[in-house]
Amino acid sequence: MQVLGGEQWHDVYLVADANDVVVVGGHCATVGAAGGYTTGGGHSSNSPLHGLAVDNMLEADVVIADGTLLRTNACENSDMFWALRGGGGGSWGVITRVVYKAHEQESNYY
């Protein structure tokens, strides 16, 4: 599921629910869904089943200090992707887009 900078978890959850999927996200629905929550680990009620939010980040776009927009994932700019997923994400640039893994809804989910 693609999330752009400025989108809040409330809106992400509405789209996820409409598509019968679950995304690992925060409890506070007004927190931004692309950025600090995730790069700080991102504990969730869904973490026991699916890991932390950072474990579910498949790709991120980040603007670095010189103004360059980098697409980061396991194959492209993988060193930056690794840093965003555990090396103090806010230290490396401004995240403008994140792609999260979406999971099928369990019969009883939060």
Side-chain angles (χ1 to χ4, degrees):
M1 173 173 281
Q2 177 175 271
V3 177
L4 300 177
E7 291 188 74
Q8 298 177 336
W9 281 115
H10 172 74
D11 299 321
V12 174
Y13 294 149
L14 289 175
V15 172
D17 194 47
N19 289 283
D20 297 322
V21 295
V22 173
V23 178
V24 176
H27 291 286
C28 184
T30 59
V31 167
Y37 165 79
T38 301
T39 59
H43 292 270
S44 169
S45 297
N46 292 314
S47 290
L49 287 175
H50 305 299
L52 301 174
V54 73
D55 300 324
N56 287 273
M57 186 168 75
L58 302 176
E59 185 170 275
D61 289 353
V62 59
V63 178
I64 59 175
D66 68 1
T68 303
L69 175 65
L70 298 177
R71 171 141 309 152
T72 69
N73 55 49
C75 299
E76 189 175 358
N77 297 302
S78 59
D79 55 343
M80 178 64 81
F81 185 61
W82 179 85
L84 292 172
R85 294 181 66 224
S91 303
W92 308 111
V94 177
I95 296 175
T96 61
R97 183 184 72 94
V98 174
V99 176
Y100 291 105
K101 183 176 184 180
H103 303 274
E104 289 185 37
Q105 285 183 355
E106 302 290 327
S107 58
N108 182 14
Y109 79 97
Y110 174 74

